Amino acid sequence: MPAVANFDPNSKLDLPRNVADYPPNVWGDFFLQYASESMELDQNIAAEIDCLKNEVKNMLATNIENPFYKVKFIDSICRLGVGYHFEHEIDQVLQLIHKTYVVNGEIILEDNLHSLAVLFRVLRQRGLYVSPDVFKKFKDEQGNFSERNITDVEGMLSLFEASHMMIHGEEILEEALAFTSTHLESISTQLNPSLAAQVKHSLTQALRKNLPRLEARRYISIYEQNTSHNVILLRLAKLDFNMLQSLHQMEFGNICKWSKELGITKKLPFARDRIVECCFWSMSVYFEPQYSQARKMMSKVIAHLSFIDDTYDSYGTIDELELFTKAVERWDISCLDDLPNYMKILYKSLLNVYEEIEQETRKEGRIYTLNYFVKDFKKIVQAYMTEARWLDKNYVPAIDEYMSISKITSGYPVLSTTSYIGMGDIATEDIFNWVTTMPKIVNGAALVCRLNDEIVSNEFEQKRGHVCSFLECYMTQYDTNREAAIQECQKGVENAWKDMNEDCLTQTKVPLPLLTSVLNLARFIEVYYKDKDNYTHSEGLMKTHIKALLVDPVPI
Ligand SMILES: CC(C)=CCC/C(C)=C/COP(=O)(O)OP(=O)(O)O
């Protein structure tokens, strides 16, 4: 019989537990005011948005007399957050530009650095390959980027953003990144305040690594200040942003209501109470109205992963965790009796969420997606268990062993799969077979999550006793110091982005929205695990951003 079989689940409740001192929730009941069955749409605004959409569509449909003009227009549409209305039109234009002006990967058009860099980035963002050799002409005889470029701030900024599309082996983009970063940094103090702010922003949050809604909120004001802005497009962006904000408010309100009625955070006081941030996490993965249901499911899954993570990381004893792991492996409500009371609450709630997803997917004829979900969910819980055993035995694994488990516990493999459940017919069974075998893009997102998390969370976590981190494993294996281990983490993150960029160019059978949701998972980490873990410590940047996207409308 296994050692845990005779364990009485409720006999050890007074054991000393490894409880983390998490900061409280910062939103209280704020979002409950928005809970509602349906969204009240201002019909006049909705009609105006429709009208503006048609006008922009017409602008996109005209001939491509000036491909650079067209590409910059498309770039503005996307950065302003309204690209989702024109997916088909944008695809058509960019395919045509790629077919006409890119021969064997080489751009055959001539223009300045800014125009070429925008063209390069916009095509690659759509999964269309273009060679970075187009930037060779901006180098000097010695093969370095020419100093003449330095005063062209717009060009430098565009080259900086373009360089983030790099894949493996693109040395010229590595050089471009180093060159533009250094010079933009040093020139930023001499620029006018508005340009200086843009440069500063890009240097801390490159466009490729930024979340689309944050970019939209920011870019609306930058675009407005640009004297040659398109008035119709700007108005559409503002109205659309605020309309989506109302939808997101209602969704946050409904999830907060569900959470309050469930009362689970009160029943599991050891866990982080972060329901608003969980909603924000899923809204970061996809913001479009058609994914409203998908966001709802995803928010509930993220919330449960968060409770489970805290159970394994801190509160649960090793024997209890073995029981919980077995119960998840069996995935059956009859396992409830084997669990201590606090785990019963968690397990039951998890199965309820599963049932809810089952009902939704049944309606859509997509019930098969659940097998993939459950398989991935079991994997993460088993991996949490492995980490708990490591901590229990003070075991420090070799790097490879550590990474094979900690990529799973990053949560990003199971969340990538979960994100596809509500994405409709584009997420076919073939796609689920692909996403659940850790393709490069998912592996990359998991690495971005795990390695960034380790850099910023290590000290807080080790204070309370936490499974060893990548940093410890690396320092032990290579007998080196913390700085070297952090550098290795950073290198790992850079490589992970190259992998993800590569998959975006080569996985031509995977529709762009599916690749984008995994990219957005990685972007969430790039924004919120930069200087600290803003999910756990949610009173700073996270709160400011939630306020900007969910509370304050864009001034019209
Ligand atoms: C992406 C997922 C699964 C979201 C749910 C919330 C969560 C577990 C965040 C990471 O917490 P952490 O920084 O404590 O993670 P870890 O314990 O893995 O270090």
Side-chain angles (χ1 to χ4, degrees):
M1 264 203 179
V4 290
N6 294 325
F7 175 68
D8 170 1
N10 289 308
S11 69
K12 295 195 175 177
L13 290 181
D14 52 354
L15 278 177
R17 290 170 189 274
N18 185 12
V19 183
D21 191 12
Y22 294 128
N25 137 2
V26 293
W27 287 100
D29 286 341
F30 178 82
F31 280 95
L32 285 183
Q33 64 182 302
Y34 303 117
S36 160
E37 291 290 311
S38 62
M39 194 176 109
E40 282 197 16
L41 245 185
D42 180 326
Q43 291 308 322
N44 290 334
I45 301 274
E48 190 182 349
I49 289 179
D50 269 347
C51 205
L52 293 165
K53 265 164 47 181
N54 280 333
E55 291 192 53
V56 173
K57 241 175 221 173
N58 289 337
M59 293 176 208
L60 271 168
T62 52
N63 291 338
I64 307 171
E65 279 147 22
N66 183 341
F68 288 110
Y69 175 81
K70 203 79 170 197
V71 162
K72 285 175 194 165
F73 186 55
I74 288 176
D75 191 38
S76 299
I77 293 176
C78 296
R79 295 182 79 160
L80 289 166
V82 287
Y84 75 99
H85 289 303
F86 313 106
E87 288 301 333
H88 176 68
E89 292 77 8
I90 291 174
D91 257 347
Q92 277 196 327
V93 173
L94 293 182
Q95 294 277 2
L96 186 58
I97 288 180
H98 191 258
K99 214 169 103 188
T100 318
Y101 301 109
V102 179
V103 177
N104 296 328
E106 304 294 335
I107 296 174
I108 55 165
L109 289 161
E110 287 294 335
D111 207 327
N112 61 25
L113 179 58
H114 167 62
S115 295
L116 287 168
V118 173
L119 177 63
F120 174 88
R121 175 174 55 75
V122 169
L123 289 175
R124 278 213 177 179
Q125 280 169 188
R126 282 274 143 177
L128 298 166
Y129 178 78
V130 255
S131 163
D133 288 350
V134 68
F135 300 120
K136 271 189 182 159
K137 54 176 140 311
F138 299 98
K139 289 184 147 193
D140 59 22
E141 293 81 49
Q142 282 78 45
N144 301 317
F145 274 98
S146 162
E147 301 281 315
R148 275 194 316 244
N149 298 306
I150 297 173
T151 47
D152 172 15
V153 180
E154 194 183 35
M156 291 284 280
L157 204 49
S158 299
L159 180 60
F160 171 83
E161 298 291 10
S163 71
H164 284 85
M165 302 305 301
M166 81 173 76
I167 57 177
H168 293 280
E170 294 190 321
E171 225 167 89
I172 188 166
L173 293 183
E174 301 266 12
E175 291 163 17
L177 176 60
F179 174 75
T180 51
S181 308
T182 312
H183 292 291
L184 285 170
E185 181 87 54
S186 60
I187 209 171
S188 63
T189 49
Q190 300 153 38
L191 303 173
N192 70 53
S194 152
L195 197 53
Q198 278 185 62
V199 165
K200 190 165 171 268
H201 171 83
S202 288
L203 289 175
T204 38
Q205 199 62 66
L207 183 58
R208 180 64 169 169
K209 299 179 178 173
N210 200 13
L211 287 164
R213 273 296 78 186
L214 288 175
E215 174 63 12
R217 186 73 166 86
R218 189 188 74 93
Y219 198 68
I220 286 173
S221 38
I222 291 183
Y223 188 68
E224 189 165 27
Q225 286 166 32
N226 181 340
T227 44
S228 59
H229 71 247
N230 182 309
V231 188
I232 292 167
L233 179 58
L234 178 66
R235 179 137 179 102
L236 172 64
K238 287 180 170 185
L239 294 179
D240 195 67
F241 188 96
N242 289 347
M243 196 188 64
L244 274 180
Q245 185 179 70
S246 305
L247 172 69
H248 295 147
Q249 283 172 341
M250 183 186 77
E251 292 172 4
F252 273 47
N254 289 340
I255 295 281
C256 288
K257 185 163 171 258
W258 161 82
S259 169
K260 197 171 168 106
E261 284 166 5
L262 197 64
I264 193 163
T265 46
K266 290 243 155 46
K267 294 173 195 158
L268 307 176
F270 61 86
R272 283 168 290 187
D273 179 2
R274 297 285 180 277
I275 195 64
V276 170
E277 292 75 12
C278 290
C279 293
F280 194 56
W281 211 319
S282 60
M283 184 195 128
S284 303
V285 174
Y286 25 49
F287 63 85
E288 297 87 341
Q290 71 266 32
Y291 299 129
S292 186
Q293 192 60 32
R295 278 190 289 278
K296 181 172 152 190
M297 294 190 251
M298 198 143 172
S299 302
K300 294 183 180 183
V301 171
I302 295 177
H304 281 78
L305 280 170
S306 189
F307 297 141
I308 294 173
D309 182 61
D310 292 336
T311 305
Y312 278 83
D313 265 8
S314 63
Y315 192 75
T317 67
I318 193 81
D319 293 333
E320 291 168 353
L321 296 173
E322 295 283 2
L323 292 175
F324 193 82
T325 308
K326 286 221 157 48
V328 171
E329 283 167 347
R330 285 177 50 201
W331 204 269
D332 190 315
I333 198 72
S334 70
C335 298
L336 218 54
D337 296 341
D338 303 337
L339 299 173
N341 291 336
Y342 79 94
M343 282 183 166
K344 281 192 173 80
I345 295 163
L346 184 52
Y347 190 71
K348 202 162 162 220
S349 181
L350 173 66
L351 291 197
N352 283 343
V353 168
Y354 171 79
E355 258 171 44
E356 208 182 298
I357 300 177
E358 191 178 26
Q359 277 167 19
E360 276 309 317
T361 49
R362 195 184 296 282
K363 269 193 259 166
E364 289 179 25
R366 291 168 51 74
I367 194 114
Y368 68 86
T369 59
L370 287 182
N371 284 338
Y372 295 93
F373 169 72
V374 172
K375 225 162 129 185
D376 267 4
F377 211 95
K378 288 180 183 173
K379 266 196 210 158
I380 189 173
V381 167
Q382 286 163 339
Y384 280 146
M385 189 66 232
T386 302
E387 288 185 350
R389 291 188 194 119
W390 287 348
L391 174 63
D392 189 53
K393 303 250 176 319
N394 282 326
Y395 172 68
V396 180
I399 299 283
D400 287 353
E401 186 184 10
Y402 177 77
M403 285 312 292
S404 67
I405 293 297
S406 75
K407 272 191 298 194
I408 309 290
T409 62
S410 73
Y412 271 18
V414 66
L415 284 185
S416 299
T417 306
T418 308
S419 76
Y420 287 8
I421 297 175
M423 290 187 82
D425 293 340
I426 52 168
T428 59
E429 188 140 20
D430 278 350
I431 291 288
F432 275 89
N433 277 321
W434 168 78
V435 77
T436 48
T437 48
M438 209 54 151
K440 263 189 197 167
I441 191 164
V442 175
N443 191 59
L447 282 171
V448 167
C449 179
R450 173 50 63 214
L451 297 175
N452 278 310
D453 183 25
E454 308 255 329
I455 298 172
V456 296
S457 315
N458 191 238
E459 274 175 45
F460 177 73
E461 286 177 343
Q462 294 306 323
K463 259 190 229 157
R464 67 161 198 269
H466 189 276
V467 66
C468 59
S469 73
F470 176 88
L471 303 184
E472 276 95 58
C473 295
Y474 191 84
M475 288 188 281
T476 308
Q477 188 164 328
Y478 295 105
D479 191 19
T480 183
N481 57 25
R482 205 177 141 80
E483 284 64 44
I486 288 180
Q487 254 180 31
E488 190 64 20
C489 268
Q490 286 160 343
K491 222 160 71 193
V493 172
E494 281 164 25
N495 278 327
W497 273 102
K498 289 180 192 168
D499 276 345
M500 287 191 285
N501 286 342
E502 211 159 275
D503 248 8
C504 289
L505 287 177
T506 52
Q507 293 295 340
T508 46
K509 292 209 178 91
V510 182
L512 195 58
L514 299 173
L515 296 167
T516 305
S517 68
V518 182
L519 278 186
N520 284 342
L521 281 169
R523 288 169 173 151
F524 186 92
I525 298 296
E526 289 287 350
V527 178
Y528 297 111
Y529 281 71
K530 204 185 265 308
D531 302 315
K532 63 173 188 170
D533 163 1
N534 283 281
Y535 174 73
T536 302
H537 305 277
S538 56
E539 73 290 353
L541 185 76
M542 178 74 87
K543 190 172 184 193
T544 309
H545 283 181
I546 293 179
K547 190 165 172 297
L549 299 196
L550 270 300
V551 183
D552 305 331
V554 170
I556 300 288

